[in-house]
Amino acid sequence: MPARSLDQIRRLAKNRGFIFAGSAPYGGLGSFWDYGPLGVEMLNHVKRSWWQNVVYNRDDVEGVDCAILMNRKVWQHSGHEATFSDPLVDCKSCRARFRADHLVTDAILARETEGENVHRKLRPIIELFPVSLKAAGLQLYAKLRDDEQDAEREANRRLREFQDKVSNGEKTSLDEFFGSLANIPGMPNVSQYAQLFFFVRRHPNELRSALLKLGKVSCPKCQKADWTDARNFNLMFQSHVGPVEANKGTEEELASRVYLRPETAQGIFMNFKNVLESSRRKVPFGIAQIGKAFRNEITPGNFTFRTREFEQMELEFFIKPPQFLQPGEKTDEQWHEEWVEQRYNWWLGLGIDKSRIRKRAQTREELAHYSKATVDLEYLFPGSLGFGEIEGIANRTDYDLSAHSKDVPEDALKRLKLEKNADSVENLDYFDQDAKARYFPWVIEPSCGATRAMLAFLCEAYNEELVKPPAEADIAALKTEIDAAIKNAEKKKKEAEKEKDAAQRKHDPVAIEAFIRDLTEATTRLPQSLAEIDGMLKDHAGAQNLELVKKLSPKVSKLAEDHTRLVLKLHPSLAPVKLAIFPLKKNEPRIVDEARRIKHQFQHLFRTVYDDSAGIGKLYRRQDEIGTPLCITVDFQTLEDNTVTLRDRDTMQQIRVPMEKLKHEVFHRLGMPV
Ligand code: GAP
């Protein structure tokens, strides 16, 4: 079973040194994370494995590592300065700030989930994607789009009428608008909220502001419905090159302004000609880059899923435009498909189960301004996050190289909706010897987040296993104590609710409610959930300062320690530590020397650790928790017959291996060439 919640991963990541909240001694900084001793190892392995898949295993890809800061004109001509933004609104009452699109769609979906009017057409879709209602909305949306073109046109006309009325302050309501849709021939019979979702996706700005103005969406913090107008907020972090103190927007300020790159792709486009010429490549060929990217996300969260600083692994693969293809050469669509398959298989090869990864073609409305088609690879993250994008494979056509070039034919500019670039001094084009023609190559772009990939691999690998079931009487006694702790928590929740001044409350009633809900559910899965309950009692936000929980926690810990194990079943190539060596007796010099000698034999090849700080059972547990595939124990028998115990993380099987065969056996089990 993979992780059931991101909290399990967050807890493990902190306790074992994978990922820490950044700037902790100063209370942190919104959604910036530091990678600890094991985190840096694992992240490096994720990146190395990607590089292996995309660069080394192919004959047609080169790598680069570009500067993070680039000339501001790069971002002007890529379209980011004008369009890389999210719509923001502020609650006038409590001043909280939200993304307008999330606010509106979440409000719609919340009503759907509450059971208002969920139509039979939507139900099967929701059931298919129980954890991601957003995906359900998108599916419905795609269905509506394809089937109901005429109805949609008429509905759009009525939407414009409705919007005009709202803007002019005329009397109208959402009910009136949806009522007017019901008699359109061919309009699918779906719930109002499903229709609403459809229109929000199709006409985001118009409907969003109408909904907010009509007071249909209340503030998640203070429940009032009094909003500012939505305005666009650019997601790029700004800085300046040189000692500039000019006011924002002045010529001097603009001349020195730079952005922290929001994607690594543009650095690759800037170097298209450099790489082409220095490496004597011919189209088709690709350029890969791994590096930091920064986005001032309005709603970061879900641990490291959406952060403001992250790492990307991107490939720009340059291909022939359709009009220059020779018979038998691959089309852009075929290249796109090939890359989707290659990348999908990379995820499967590293242990992601087929049931938790899917390919999803973006709908036309979702596509970025440069994309002809994009297929997202989505992973089923635990909890409310559900299916989330881990990689996008886009067909960017000739948009990028044309956008950064000085002499692009008029018809191409028109087709790509580009202005003539008067800033560029180059043409990022290519002379094709075979076709005897000059053109701007098209681009297929697989773009993957390294930090988000690591989160997906951690979720997939996380396993809490019952090694030997506890006695039934122990479980029954535990359930009785949990019942008592829940009753006590309910009492504390009520007391906290009675206290009107939030600052005076000893407990947070919302957090306690979540704790009661989670604990009640986990208790139904005992004894399998023993380790999960152990973690919950220690770390759940709603479990803090509850007396009975404090009393119960050590007992559960003891039971969990005796009967369960937490194991990260990471693919060996991703495991931060590959091999751990233990001496059975730490005060027996001959055993210790031998164990240290074995460590030296392997440590220059990969991360190998020596540990003698606990009993063997505990040492195995510690390595299981961080995903170490193999452990070696040196004991008295080693001194007699020169064999060691080799223990496998997943099966817990132990075999005796003669010293002369040890390297071969370890390499073989780690999947390394022997
Ligand atoms: N060059 C195309 C591009 O940047 P994207 O879909 O915006 O496309 C690609 O980003 C990948 O980068 C995503 O699939 C995701 O894995 C990762 N990513 C994007 N924003 C992120 C964020 N705020 N935090 C962590 N990873 C992110």
Side-chain angles (χ1 to χ4, degrees):
M1 266 299 277
R4 298 179 67 86
S5 76
L6 283 181
D7 274 344
Q8 290 177 316
I9 302 297
R10 195 194 309 261
R11 203 179 299 135
L12 176 84
K14 179 169 188 284
N15 294 342
R16 290 286 171 251
F18 283 86
I19 303 171
F20 309 118
S23 316
Y26 293 98
L29 176 68
S31 208
F32 290 87
W33 299 91
D34 297 337
Y35 286 70
L38 298 181
V40 66
E41 294 291 342
M42 183 171 167
L43 189 58
N44 280 341
H45 291 319
V46 171
K47 292 188 278 186
R48 200 167 298 132
S49 169
W50 183 88
W51 198 263
Q52 179 78 44
N53 180 261
V54 165
V55 184
Y56 293 170
N57 289 358
R58 303 209 36 129
D59 304 319
D60 49 10
V61 177
E62 302 285 348
V64 290
D65 185 9
C66 309
I68 287 176
L69 299 182
M70 291 187 273
N71 193 314
R72 174 174 159 237
K73 291 190 173 116
V74 173
W75 304 109
Q76 288 178 300
H77 291 284
S78 69
H80 284 80
E81 197 174 72
T83 63
F84 196 60
S85 54
D86 282 336
L88 268 190
V89 283
D90 291 332
C91 169
K92 285 189 191 162
S93 170
C94 72
R95 301 192 176 277
R97 181 166 287 177
F98 300 93
R99 264 183 71 167
D101 51 345
H102 286 179
L103 203 58
V104 173
T105 43
D106 287 352
I108 296 166
L109 292 169
R111 286 174 212 198
E112 276 287 9
T113 351
E114 278 160 21
E116 275 191 52
N117 223 358
V118 181
H119 190 271
R120 69 189 153 77
K121 258 195 165 179
L122 194 59
R123 269 198 188 284
I125 300 167
I126 291 177
E127 274 156 21
L128 261 183
F129 305 101
V131 275
S132 177
L133 281 169
K134 277 189 186 151
L138 286 174
Q139 290 280 320
L140 174 75
Y141 174 69
K143 215 166 147 49
L144 286 168
R145 264 205 50 70
D146 292 344
D147 299 351
E148 329 283 349
Q149 301 266 329
D150 288 345
E152 193 197 326
R153 240 191 312 277
E154 177 56 21
N156 290 341
R157 198 186 60 72
R158 295 187 191 191
L159 171 66
R160 276 194 298 278
E161 270 177 22
F162 165 67
Q163 200 200 331
D164 286 346
K165 278 189 182 174
V166 176
S167 306
N168 299 336
E170 289 174 41
K171 201 167 170 296
T172 184
S173 70
L174 263 187
D175 287 342
E176 187 185 311
F177 168 57
F178 284 116
S180 81
L181 298 181
N183 58 11
I184 298 177
M187 190 69 190
N189 185 15
V190 294
S191 78
Q192 275 198 5
Y193 294 114
Q195 288 185 10
L196 201 50
F197 197 100
F198 171 65
F199 283 105
V200 170
R201 300 291 313 183
R202 187 92 175 102
H203 301 276
N205 289 328
E206 293 87 337
L207 200 60
R208 238 179 256 141
S209 40
L211 282 171
L212 292 170
K213 271 202 186 126
L214 280 170
K216 281 284 164 186
V217 179
S218 48
C219 170
K221 276 215 169 135
C222 72
Q223 311 308 323
K224 302 258 168 53
D226 192 6
W227 300 103
T228 61
D229 283 337
R231 64 208 177 284
N232 279 332
F233 171 79
N234 197 292
L235 300 184
M236 290 191 291
F237 284 98
Q238 290 181 16
S239 187
H240 293 93
V241 173
V244 180
E245 285 178 13
N247 286 336
K248 203 165 178 174
T250 58
E251 224 171 274
E252 190 190 352
E253 189 269 331
L254 289 173
S256 65
R257 189 190 288 180
V258 283
Y259 298 108
L260 299 193
R261 66 180 178 202
E263 61 170 18
T264 59
Q266 297 302 323
I268 297 179
F269 298 131
M270 290 302 103
N271 285 285
F272 167 71
K273 279 244 149 143
N274 290 335
V275 176
L276 178 75
E277 285 161 13
S278 61
S279 60
R280 287 171 282 110
R281 284 286 179 183
K282 281 186 171 174
V283 169
F285 81 104
I287 307 179
Q289 171 163 226
I290 297 178
K292 291 262 183 176
F294 305 82
R295 296 181 188 178
N296 201 357
E297 300 278 4
I298 296 158
T299 43
N302 285 314
F303 194 28
T304 56
F305 180 81
R306 180 166 288 106
T307 54
R308 293 186 168 120
E309 175 176 343
F310 55 100
E311 267 188 287
Q312 283 191 319
M313 311 184 286
E314 296 199 296
L315 169 72
E316 307 303 322
F317 194 78
F318 302 98
I319 56 172
K320 273 190 183 182
Q323 65 272 33
F324 295 100
L325 288 176
Q326 304 293 320
E329 287 183 326
K330 279 184 211 151
T331 65
D332 57 311
E333 272 130 15
Q334 285 168 326
W335 276 116
H336 191 205
E337 238 178 83
E338 182 173 313
W339 275 108
V340 170
E341 282 316 300
Q342 175 165 337
R343 296 299 308 135
Y344 177 72
N345 288 330
W346 178 78
W347 290 93
L348 296 186
L350 288 175
I352 300 288
D353 190 87
K354 261 195 177 153
S355 63
R356 279 181 293 277
I357 184 169
R358 69 179 183 194
K359 303 170 200 161
R360 191 181 67 81
Q362 288 191 3
T363 62
R364 219 180 320 151
E365 286 65 32
E366 286 177 87
L367 291 177
H369 58 280
Y370 50 72
S371 175
K372 172 182 160 185
T374 298
V375 173
D376 284 343
L377 301 182
E378 297 182 331
Y379 177 71
L380 183 57
F381 286 95
S384 58
L385 181 52
F387 271 110
E389 177 196 330
I390 43 178
E391 173 159 3
I393 300 111
N395 180 345
R396 295 178 76 126
T397 69
D398 49 348
Y399 183 90
D400 304 279
L401 294 181
S402 306
H404 292 301
S405 294
K406 65 186 176 79
D407 305 311
V408 180
E410 274 302 322
D411 56 335
L413 289 176
K414 215 163 147 195
R415 171 173 55 82
L416 297 166
K417 297 197 181 78
L418 284 169
E419 299 288 322
K420 187 172 167 49
N421 188 336
D423 295 316
S424 171
V425 293
E426 274 189 48
N427 279 327
L428 303 182
D429 58 358
Y430 171 76
F431 183 73
D432 190 320
Q433 301 279 1
D434 303 331
K436 301 273 175 290
R438 193 166 272 289
Y439 54 71
F440 293 99
W442 281 35
V443 173
I444 304 294
E445 178 200 62
S447 170
C448 180
T451 41
R452 196 178 281 184
M454 177 167 153
L455 179 64
F457 288 125
L458 282 173
C459 290
E460 184 72 15
Y462 189 95
N463 267 275
E464 286 172 345
E465 287 182 354
L466 197 62
V467 185
K468 54 177 173 132
E472 278 182 19
D474 287 343
I475 290 296
L478 179 61
K479 281 185 177 167
T480 310
E481 288 201 54
I482 290 178
D483 273 352
I486 288 176
K487 284 204 182 85
N488 176 260
E490 273 162 355
K491 196 169 137 212
K492 298 290 171 197
K493 183 186 143 219
K494 282 198 186 116
E495 283 171 15
E497 280 166 345
K498 273 191 203 141
E499 176 56 69
K500 291 284 168 259
D501 181 356
Q504 297 299 319
R505 284 180 188 155
K506 275 203 204 135
H507 299 99
D508 173 357
V510 179
I512 295 195
E513 190 176 315
F515 170 63
I516 294 172
R517 191 189 54 231
D518 293 348
L519 182 58
T520 309
E521 190 278 325
T523 307
T524 62
R525 289 183 285 107
L526 272 171
Q528 265 71 20
S529 56
L530 204 49
E532 194 182 333
I533 292 177
D534 180 31
M536 213 181 268
L537 297 181
K538 283 182 189 143
D539 294 334
H540 200 296
Q544 307 311 308
N545 302 324
L546 293 174
E547 273 314 311
L548 288 194
V549 168
K550 265 194 221 159
K551 264 175 76 181
L552 182 59
S553 182
K555 292 184 197 167
V556 179
S557 286
K558 175 82 179 75
L559 265 182
E561 203 178 309
D562 292 347
H563 298 277
T564 68
R565 72 164 183 154
L566 198 166
V567 53
L568 269 192
K569 293 190 170 173
L570 288 170
H571 188 281
S573 68
L574 299 182
V577 176
K578 310 286 184 215
L579 186 62
I581 326 277
F582 313 135
L584 187 69
K585 237 174 165 307
K586 69 174 176 184
N587 49 10
E588 172 53 61
R590 287 179 305 156
I591 290 182
V592 169
D593 287 352
E594 190 55 20
R596 288 199 183 279
R597 192 196 60 75
I598 297 173
K599 188 200 173 213
H600 287 139
Q601 185 190 345
F602 287 103
Q603 73 185 117
H604 66 285
L605 299 166
F606 41 68
R607 190 84 174 125
T608 307
V609 297
Y610 168 92
D611 197 355
D612 62 9
S613 61
I616 291 294
K618 200 158 197 169
L619 293 177
Y620 282 149
R621 289 279 183 86
R622 274 188 207 155
Q623 296 302 323
D624 287 347
E625 286 187 16
I626 62 169
T628 307
L630 297 173
C631 295
I632 290 172
T633 302
V634 177
D635 53 19
F636 286 103
Q637 195 182 330
T638 310
L639 305 179
E640 283 167 19
D641 65 5
N642 219 18
T643 64
V644 289
T645 301
L646 185 68
R647 184 229 190 218
D648 180 279
R649 174 196 69 196
D650 296 346
T651 61
M652 292 188 278
Q653 238 184 14
Q654 301 183 11
I655 54 165
R656 284 312 281 191
V657 181
M659 206 65 81
E660 67 273 13
K661 293 203 175 135
L662 189 58
K663 189 169 172 195
H664 183 279
E665 190 64 33
V666 166
F667 273 41
H668 173 69
R669 285 170 181 255
L670 292 178
M672 294 170 62
V674 282

